[in-house]
Amino acid sequence: MVGSPHEALHRIFQKDPALLTRALQRVLHVPFPEPREIAAMNVDLTEIEPVERRVDTLLRAETDEGTYLLVVESQGKADDRKRGSWPYYLSYLYEKYRCEPVLIVITQSSATARWASRPIRLGFPGWHSLTVRPLVLGPDNVPVITDERQAERDVPLAVLSAMTHGRGPRAAAILESLASALRTIDPDSAAVFVQFIDSCLTDPQAKQMWRDLMTAIQYFWRHPLAEQVREEGREEGMEQGLEQGLEQGRTEAKAEMVLHILEWRGIPVPDAVRERVNACTDLNRLEVWAQRAVHATDATELFAEE
């Protein structure tokens, strides 16, 4: 099970290696050649000496222009030790495999992205012996995907969008569109993506909103993460919907999701609105209200044209 944002941010590329080359081409506009084949490799770079060195994710991409090693590093904050370790990784990999290494850094922080994008230059000023220029994916360049159809066209990219923008003001719309898009792919892959996102969401309200959205997706409750959610729910007395039957549980969860979206966005919820939402048993109507909650400026806008 993925247990941290650091792990989820790079492991998504192990789940869908081709996503990395698409991100390089579409997000960073790097003319990386289209791979014929791409596969994960052993991330252990430890030498005979007892010094352990590991990259986060390592992929081998076979292209018409040659073979490349894609070195993916998940970075939570600035760390000046990387001035030594990143050049070492690239030099070691080139020496071992005789393939061109490419360093890609992924982060949820704009400040960390700016730090990571600065070239690492080693040697005499003006005549550097070694220069490392990381390619950086972060909240300033990964697209914000809030459209359901766009999310369906490239679900892994939509997942990356949710993981990098989970703390931003448009997180609610991103998560809502992604939740719908996950229904269009195979349940096993979707369950893995669900776990990645849950691990990356550090904002408590965004995480709760995501879990509320996932209660309506049946396959999620067969995933190990679901047991963790259910256990947390039992501790907080939130298991009534599941115990009263799946259909009733879905409507109750959807009603909670509508209210959570409004509260997460800082919109006051009057008692009359809360009572009307909680009393609704029409799943389709609750779905409409959830979509409206993402964009509403007042809680009463949920019931527009009704």
Side-chain angles (χ1 to χ4, degrees):
M1 229 177 120
V2 176
S4 69
H6 173 91
E7 193 175 0
L9 277 172
H10 69 84
R11 279 188 55 185
I12 186 176
F13 298 116
Q14 296 176 17
K15 171 63 179 173
D16 186 349
L19 170 63
L20 187 56
T21 57
R22 294 202 302 276
L24 294 179
Q25 295 165 349
R26 302 178 192 177
V27 178
L28 299 180
H29 305 292
V30 173
F32 192 86
E34 195 67 32
R36 295 190 309 273
E37 181 183 351
I38 188 166
M41 298 179 65
N42 190 335
V43 300
D44 192 348
L45 306 185
T46 305
E47 299 180 85
I48 296 176
E49 297 294 328
V51 178
E52 183 176 299
R53 300 181 187 272
R54 292 178 182 271
V55 297
D56 288 335
T57 286
L58 180 62
L59 305 173
R60 183 186 184 107
E62 302 285 351
T63 77
D64 290 336
E65 299 178 20
T67 301
Y68 295 89
L69 300 178
L70 306 179
V71 184
V72 185
E73 285 282 280
S74 172
Q75 196 67 29
K77 60 182 179 180
D79 183 355
D80 286 338
R81 292 177 299 178
K82 299 298 183 181
R83 283 180 50 83
S85 59
W86 284 345
Y88 169 85
Y89 294 163
L90 302 183
S91 298
Y92 175 87
L93 288 169
Y94 180 78
E95 176 65 20
K96 181 175 182 178
Y97 296 104
R98 292 296 170 174
C99 300
E100 299 294 341
V102 180
L103 175 62
I104 300 101
V105 178
I106 181 167
T107 180
Q108 295 176 297
S109 164
S110 295
T112 303
R114 290 191 295 271
W115 165 82
S117 63
R118 294 198 295 265
I120 299 172
R121 296 186 174 95
L122 304 179
F124 188 76
W127 194 273
H128 299 102
S129 302
L130 178 64
T131 300
V132 175
R133 298 177 60 89
L135 297 169
V136 182
L137 294 168
D140 295 330
N141 54 18
V142 173
V144 176
I145 299 179
T146 58
D147 179 76
E148 182 179 329
R149 292 184 179 178
Q150 185 181 1
E152 290 177 0
R153 286 195 294 270
D154 194 337
V155 174
L157 185 60
V159 172
L160 185 62
S161 177
M163 294 196 308
T164 52
H165 296 282
R167 291 185 291 188
R170 304 183 71 182
I174 294 172
L175 296 176
E176 174 77 16
S177 64
L178 178 58
S180 298
L182 287 175
R183 296 186 176 95
T184 66
I185 65 175
D186 71 276
D188 291 337
S189 293
V192 174
F193 289 143
V194 167
Q195 184 184 353
F196 286 161
I197 296 165
D198 190 86
S199 297
C200 278
L201 292 175
T202 56
D203 183 285
Q205 291 179 310
K207 184 184 286 284
Q208 184 59 54
M209 176 190 168
W210 178 243
R211 292 182 172 185
D212 290 340
L213 285 166
M214 291 300 97
T215 58
I217 302 179
Q218 185 176 1
Y219 65 72
F220 171 64
W221 297 101
R222 299 197 302 268
H223 193 271
L225 176 62
E227 183 55 38
Q228 174 188 337
V229 175
R230 285 196 291 270
E231 184 61 32
E232 292 173 1
R234 279 191 288 269
E235 293 174 359
E236 298 173 5
M238 296 174 61
E239 276 286 337
Q240 296 97 343
L242 293 174
E243 294 170 356
Q244 294 171 7
L246 181 59
E247 189 63 28
Q248 182 178 351
R250 284 178 175 175
T251 57
E252 290 183 2
K254 183 66 72 171
E256 289 181 6
M257 182 195 71
V258 173
L259 298 174
H260 273 306
I261 292 174
L262 293 173
E263 292 166 353
W264 184 81
R265 296 183 60 229
I267 297 175
V269 181
D271 289 342
V273 171
R274 188 179 302 276
E275 291 172 4
R276 182 170 176 180
V277 171
N278 284 329
C280 182
T281 57
D282 185 334
L283 195 59
N284 291 330
R285 177 171 293 181
L286 288 168
E287 180 67 35
V288 172
W289 290 352
Q291 294 173 5
R292 291 175 180 171
V294 173
H295 305 287
T297 56
D298 185 277
T300 58
E301 292 178 18
L302 295 181
F303 317 125
E305 303 176 3
E306 294 185 8

